[in-house]
Amino acid sequence: MTGLELSKAYYEQVGKPVLERDFPELMPYLAIGLAGAGSECLGYDDEVSQDHDFGPGFCIWLPDEAMVDRRSAFLLERAYAKLDAEFMGYKRPKIDPVGGARKGVMRYADFFTEKTGTPDGVLSDAEWLTIPYASLTEATNGEVFADPFGGFSAVRERLARMPEDIRKKRLAGHLLLMAQSGQYNYQRCLDHGEPEAARLAATEFVKNAVSAAFLLNGRTEPYYKWAFRALRALPELSGLAPALSKILTLGDEPEPSFEKYNLIEDVASAVIGKLMDDGLTEATCGDLEKHAYSVNDGIADGAVRNLHVLAGV
C-alpha cells in the first residue's frame, strides 16, 4: 500500500467519522488530503521510503479565521492528535520530520506561503521566474480528498498553470545552458585535458534537458531524486530518459566520450523537434542556442522578453 492510499483510507475510515460527528459545522470549510513534501505525495514511496515519516495521517487545510476561528482550529488539532495511533498495521509517526509537520491541521495560507512565498497562489513575474520547480510541485501534488469550499483547490489550480511567457523564458534559459554545456563545452573540456570539467558539463546538460522536458510538457519538475522517475512518465519526451541516463553513466575516455557526444546531439535533436512541432521556435538548425533565442523572441510581454535570457534559470 502506498502512503497516499494509506492516507486516504485512514481519513475515510478513521478521520472522517470523527470530523462529521464532532465538527459538522466546520466540514463545509475544510480541505482534506495529502500534498507537499515526501515521496508519498508523488506516489513514489516504497519499502525504503518507510524509514521515516511514514504512517497513517492526512492534512486538514483551513481557510482564514473569518471562517474557521483559532479556537476551532485548536479543537481540530486536539481531535486529530487523538485519532487512532495505529491503522492497518502502521503506526503514526510520533515526531515531525526535519522541516516541520507534513500532516495534521494547518492554515492553507501557511501551507502555500511555505511552499511558494504567497498565501493565495498569486505570483509576480519575478516570483514565477525564480521559484524552484520542486516548490511548485509540492504545492500541487498529492490528492485532495475533499474540498467543498473549493478555496484550497483554487490556489492549487492557479499554481499549476505557469504563465506562457514565463514558461518560454524559463525554457529559453534551459535550452541555452544545454547548448553551452553539451553541444559546446563537453568536447572542448576533453580537448583541453579537463575530464572533470567535461563530466560536469555533461551533468549540466542532463539537468537542463530534464527541466526543458518538463516545461515542454507543461508540467512542474519534482525534487531531483525523483526527476528521472517523473521524466519516464511524461506524455511526451519520456523517451529521452535512456539517453540522458547513459550520458550520466558513460565514461569520458575517447570511445565512450564519442558515444556520449552523439547522445547529447540525439537529445538536442529530439528537443528541437518538439520545439518545432509546438511552434515555439522559428530557427531551422541543430544549434540549441539559436532555438533558445528564438523561443525568447516569442515572448509576448516585452518586459519579460527583454530580461536576460537566463533570468529564469
Side-chain angles (χ1 to χ4, degrees):
M1 172 173 282
T2 68
L4 192 57
E5 291 169 339
L6 181 63
S7 173
K8 190 170 188 178
Y10 186 66
Y11 165 64
E12 293 286 351
Q13 298 177 38
V14 177
K16 186 176 181 181
V18 172
L19 293 174
E20 290 180 333
R21 182 192 68 209
D22 297 343
F23 302 94
E25 75 285 359
L26 297 180
M27 288 297 287
Y29 303 105
L30 306 183
I32 297 168
L34 184 66
S39 57
E40 67 272 21
C41 297
L42 294 164
Y44 293 166
D45 51 320
D46 52 26
E47 289 185 3
V48 175
S49 307
Q50 297 180 19
D51 62 347
H52 68 93
D53 192 39
F54 185 89
F58 53 89
C59 300
I60 303 175
W61 294 289
L62 310 180
D64 60 35
E65 292 183 24
M67 297 178 186
V68 179
D69 61 26
R70 291 188 183 183
R71 175 165 175 74
S72 296
F74 171 72
L75 294 174
L76 281 166
E77 289 173 358
R78 289 185 61 183
Y80 181 86
K82 293 178 180 178
L83 293 177
D84 294 354
E86 187 171 338
F87 178 72
M88 298 182 71
Y90 296 98
K91 294 183 179 180
R92 288 174 60 183
K94 293 184 179 180
I95 59 174
D96 293 333
V98 175
R102 295 180 176 180
K103 298 171 185 172
V105 180
M106 62 193 84
R107 298 281 178 187
Y108 57 73
D110 294 336
F111 173 83
F112 288 118
T113 298
E114 190 269 327
K115 300 300 180 188
T116 68
T118 174
D120 55 8
V122 177
L123 298 173
S124 66
D125 287 344
E127 290 167 331
W128 271 114
L129 287 170
T130 56
I131 187 170
Y133 299 129
S135 295
L136 287 170
T137 299
E138 289 183 2
T140 57
N141 65 12
E143 183 179 348
V144 178
F145 309 147
D147 185 13
F149 181 64
F152 184 79
S153 297
V155 179
R156 280 165 59 89
E157 291 170 7
R158 195 173 297 132
L159 290 167
R161 295 192 299 270
M162 184 179 292
E164 182 63 7
D165 280 350
I166 300 300
R167 183 176 81 105
K168 289 180 179 179
K169 192 71 182 186
R170 301 197 78 162
L171 176 60
H174 290 298
L175 295 171
L176 182 59
L177 292 177
M178 287 175 67
Q180 292 177 343
S181 60
Q183 290 187 304
Y184 184 72
N185 279 323
Y186 173 68
Q187 189 59 51
R188 283 177 63 86
C189 288
L190 289 176
D191 293 342
H192 282 299
E194 296 283 352
E196 301 88 354
R199 180 61 61 93
L200 289 173
T203 301
E204 282 298 304
F205 176 82
V206 171
K207 287 169 58 179
N208 285 282
V210 170
S211 295
F214 278 94
L215 288 166
L216 284 166
N217 276 273
R219 304 287 182 88
T220 57
E221 181 182 349
Y223 192 50
Y224 69 87
K225 68 179 180 178
W226 298 306
F228 261 80
R229 180 165 179 173
L231 173 65
R232 295 185 185 102
L234 288 176
E236 299 186 67
L237 296 177
S238 60
L240 295 182
L244 293 174
S245 177
K246 205 165 187 180
I247 291 169
L248 286 176
T249 55
L250 278 172
D252 298 298
E253 299 77 19
E255 187 171 340
S257 71
F258 180 74
E259 182 181 358
K260 185 179 289 191
Y261 185 77
N262 285 337
L263 287 168
I264 287 171
E265 287 297 338
D266 289 344
V267 170
S269 178
V271 169
I272 289 170
K274 175 64 174 168
L275 291 170
M276 297 179 72
D277 288 345
D278 291 354
L280 291 169
T281 180
E282 294 185 0
T284 57
C285 62
D287 184 349
L288 277 168
E289 181 172 348
K290 290 183 171 58
H291 290 280
Y293 285 108
S294 183
V295 170
N296 191 77
D297 288 343
I299 295 172
D301 187 320
V304 176
R305 183 175 62 252
N306 292 331
L307 292 171
H308 193 284
V309 68
L310 297 178
V313 298

